[in-house]
Amino acid sequence: MSQHPATALIAEDEPLLAQALQAELARTWPGLRVLASVGDGISAVAQALQLLPDVLFFDIRMPGQTGLEAAAELADEWPQHTPFPALVFVTAYDQYAVQAFEVQAVDYLLKPLQAARLEKTVAKVQLALAGRAQTAINSGANATTGTSANPTLDQALHQLQYLLAAAQPASPSAGAPIELLQVSVGSSIRMVPVGEVLYFEAADKYVRVLTASHEYLIRTALKDLLPQLDPRSFWQIHRGTVVQSSAIDTVLRDEAGKLTLSLRGRPEKLAVSRMYSQQFRAM
């Protein structure tokens, strides 16, 4: 286990619940230092990157970003050689969310908080943190074989990929991907074949739709559009970007290991996040 006292960040938009969690943690785990408590996902990401805590207590439903979205963004930005924090999600009871957490061995706390459950969570997190020193030694020994230097980050990415997929709404077309998009052009509506779209990019409450020669806006969220696209033809490469796989021209890896790709017919270079880089693992 690391020599310094374990540290934590709480992200919870209900102040009374955040205070209750911090008070219960002080009782159950007196050696834990809570570095900060924030009330939204965007602040949680910023504070976590600044403070680099050992444990994250993230509420699932927060303004701005959900706890899952905040954790996924954090995994994309996390320093490569720093162990990723142990994740604990706080949620009102949801059968599907709880099942997903259990499948991926991600710990969770149910609202309202129960002391007995928190004690079990603390014991599990302490055990996980205690194993980090040996994990770091093992990963260092495997560095020459190409094994990842940050297995805690790899594990978190795998867990979050599963959890984000489980949280996706089902497609209303049930296996029939959309073939046409209705986009507004001035006072008219244009029908754009999905096959002409080279990539989609999230833009607040809209999605930018980019073909080889045009750009359109549609009033929908990317997370709602994604289930309606054929996953064989459209690959998510970033939390805010989906590309047509057949349009990918080149994928480049820089010295830091980050990937960017270019598409035939578009001049932009698009970033590939860690969360979705496994599609290009052969590189």
Side-chain angles (χ1 to χ4, degrees):
M1 190 172 183
S2 59
Q3 297 302 310
H4 65 81
T7 57
L9 171 70
I10 295 173
E12 167 60 60
D13 68 327
E14 298 179 42
L16 291 179
L17 196 147
Q19 293 171 16
L21 175 56
Q22 189 161 349
E24 284 297 313
L25 284 170
R27 181 188 64 80
T28 307
W29 192 352
L32 181 70
R33 290 176 53 220
V34 177
L35 300 177
S37 180
V38 299
D40 64 89
I42 294 172
S43 297
V45 172
Q47 285 292 294
L49 288 173
Q50 178 181 343
L51 300 171
L52 302 180
D54 298 310
V55 191
L56 300 175
F57 293 91
F58 274 13
D59 184 19
I60 285 293
R61 297 189 181 279
M62 292 187 289
Q65 284 181 315
T66 68
L68 281 177
E69 291 167 345
E73 180 176 350
L74 195 56
D76 283 341
E77 302 295 332
W78 196 255
Q80 179 62 46
H81 299 292
T82 302
F84 194 76
L87 281 169
V88 179
F89 288 110
V90 183
T91 180
Y93 182 75
D94 181 306
Q95 179 181 354
Y96 298 103
V98 167
Q99 288 176 348
F101 294 147
E102 291 177 343
V103 166
Q104 286 301 308
V106 174
D107 213 355
Y108 61 92
L109 295 169
L110 296 177
K111 300 179 183 180
L113 294 177
Q114 298 179 352
R117 174 68 190 182
L118 181 60
E119 289 173 1
K120 291 182 179 180
T121 293
V122 164
K124 288 175 65 176
V125 171
Q126 288 174 332
L127 184 62
L129 296 184
R132 282 187 173 180
Q134 187 60 48
T135 299
I137 293 171
N138 292 342
S139 62
N142 291 330
T144 57
T145 67
T147 303
S148 170
N150 198 341
T152 59
L153 179 56
D154 289 344
Q155 180 185 24
L157 287 168
H158 174 81
Q159 291 170 330
L160 290 167
Q161 286 165 0
Y162 179 92
L163 294 172
L164 286 168
Q168 285 284 350
S171 170
S173 48
I178 57 173
E179 297 181 358
L180 289 172
L181 290 170
Q182 297 185 25
V183 301
S184 297
V185 180
S187 59
S188 63
I189 294 177
R190 186 167 187 176
M191 307 300 289
V192 177
V194 172
E196 293 183 5
V197 179
L198 299 185
Y199 74 97
F200 298 94
E201 184 176 63
D204 294 326
K205 297 180 181 180
Y206 295 85
V207 169
R208 295 175 65 211
V209 180
L210 296 107
T211 67
S213 56
H214 292 87
E215 175 180 338
Y216 309 99
L217 283 178
I218 56 176
R219 189 188 293 270
T220 188
L222 186 62
K223 65 181 180 180
D224 296 327
L225 175 65
L226 191 57
Q228 302 178 61
L229 301 174
D230 185 345
R232 296 168 299 179
S233 300
F234 288 92
W235 295 357
Q236 188 161 15
I237 62 165
H238 192 277
R239 61 184 175 274
T241 313
V242 176
V243 303
Q244 184 177 153
S245 58
S246 61
I248 297 173
D249 184 30
T250 57
V251 183
L252 299 176
R253 186 188 300 275
D254 66 15
E255 294 180 355
K258 294 184 177 180
L259 301 180
T260 57
L261 61 78
S262 59
L263 302 174
R264 285 182 286 274
R266 295 295 311 185
E268 301 90 347
K269 304 294 184 184
L270 304 177
V272 180
S273 73
R274 286 174 179 163
M275 186 68 60
Y276 304 102
S277 62
Q278 77 280 355
Q279 295 168 113
F280 309 100
R281 192 173 296 277
M283 296 186 62

